[in-house]
Amino acid sequence: RQTNTTHLYGYEYLGNPSRLVITPLTDRCYTTLTTALHLHRGGLPQGPAGTGKTETVKDLAKNLAKQCIVFNCSDGLDYKSLGRMFSGLAQTGAWSCFDEFNRIEVEVLSVVAQQILSILTAVTQGKKRFVFEGKEIKLDPTCGIFVTMNPGYAGRSELPENLKALLRPMSMMKPDIALIIEIGLFSEGFVTSKLLSKKMNTLYHLMTQQLSKQDH
């Protein structure tokens, strides 16, 4: 249960993986994504690299015990291969996170928008089976479609309007590094984690400014 939404627990066995530190940014992202699912829409976390877009989607899937399949998109993808993926997601009820979705060609994205629309419409109407790409398949309404984007990079497409309408956007900007370090240290048993996190945050900040990109 979150805000005005409730979701069924998936009971997918995922082992005992590590979890994300909950910061105000990830909390807002969870709220946005769960509301998007409640409204039978997809989620669209967007922002610069390293802000935790994909990891937040994966961690929300862990919270709800759902299988989350991460797929790195490239400009070589066509609508048929993406259609096969969507077909599998709709039938199994798994979640997908399509990384760098705006690398795909605009022409393909327009067709993909229609594929996503047909799945989301079937979920909204509460159907058990529906016709997808000319075949009748079963539908698990707990499936989720999420995409991440790095806007403003060279070689990236702008999402078509019909696709934007199906995905709820969420801006992921700079994460709270100090809070993440503090919780990480606290979980390892450091009593003075608050003080140490400030020092480590300053250290990392200086390293990013002073050191070159090569491995040290």
Side-chain angles (χ1 to χ4, degrees):
R1 181 186 294 273
Q2 189 157 17
T3 57
N4 61 339
T5 69
T6 53
H7 299 279
L8 294 173
Y9 194 70
Y11 294 100
E12 178 82 34
Y13 180 69
L14 303 167
N16 187 21
S18 58
R19 308 304 291 271
L20 275 189
V21 173
I22 305 297
T23 63
L25 179 67
T26 50
D27 202 40
R28 279 199 303 275
C29 190
Y30 286 164
T31 307
T32 306
L33 295 179
T34 49
T35 308
L37 286 170
H38 178 69
L39 298 171
H40 308 305
R41 287 285 171 268
L44 173 59
Q46 51 188 336
T51 49
K53 303 181 292 294
T54 307
E55 289 302 319
T56 305
V57 173
K58 283 164 64 180
D59 203 64
L60 180 60
K62 288 175 193 171
N63 285 337
L64 292 171
K66 298 292 291 180
Q67 184 187 13
C68 183
I69 298 152
V70 179
F71 188 80
N72 290 303
C73 299
S74 68
D75 51 8
L77 279 173
D78 63 351
Y79 74 95
K80 287 181 180 176
S81 56
L82 282 164
R84 282 194 293 273
M85 285 184 223
F86 289 133
S87 173
L89 294 169
Q91 292 178 78
T92 57
W95 286 13
S96 67
C97 182
F98 291 94
D99 245 355
E100 309 275 356
F101 199 60
N102 51 342
R103 277 186 186 172
I104 302 170
E105 301 287 343
V106 179
E107 296 80 8
V108 177
L109 288 175
S110 295
V111 181
V112 166
Q114 292 305 312
Q115 292 172 336
I116 295 174
L117 178 63
S118 68
I119 294 171
L120 296 179
T121 304
V123 172
T124 308
Q125 293 172 351
K127 290 183 176 179
K128 300 285 185 199
R129 300 183 71 83
F130 76 112
V131 177
F132 182 78
E133 296 287 286
K135 290 181 182 175
E136 188 179 312
I137 58 173
K138 67 171 186 161
L139 175 66
D140 186 327
T142 59
C143 61
I145 297 167
F146 302 96
V147 305
T148 69
M149 274 173 50
N150 282 3
Y153 277 70
R156 302 291 198 273
S157 315
E158 186 67 31
L159 290 191
E161 290 300 322
N162 59 342
L163 185 53
K164 278 184 185 174
L166 303 174
L167 304 169
R168 184 155 187 185
M170 163 73 198
S171 288
M172 300 281 284
M173 297 315 289
K174 194 179 175 186
D176 191 341
I177 303 293
L179 180 60
I180 293 167
I181 294 171
E182 183 190 336
I183 302 298
L185 289 171
F186 204 78
S187 68
E188 294 292 338
F190 288 83
V191 180
T192 56
S193 58
K194 194 177 239 347
L195 182 66
L196 285 169
S197 70
K198 288 177 183 173
K199 290 180 179 178
M200 286 191 72
N201 190 31
T202 309
L203 171 67
Y204 282 128
H205 188 62
L206 285 168
M207 284 167 70
T208 53
Q209 287 181 323
Q210 304 288 342
L211 298 176
S212 58
K213 293 286 182 187
Q214 71 200 59
D215 291 340
H216 286 82

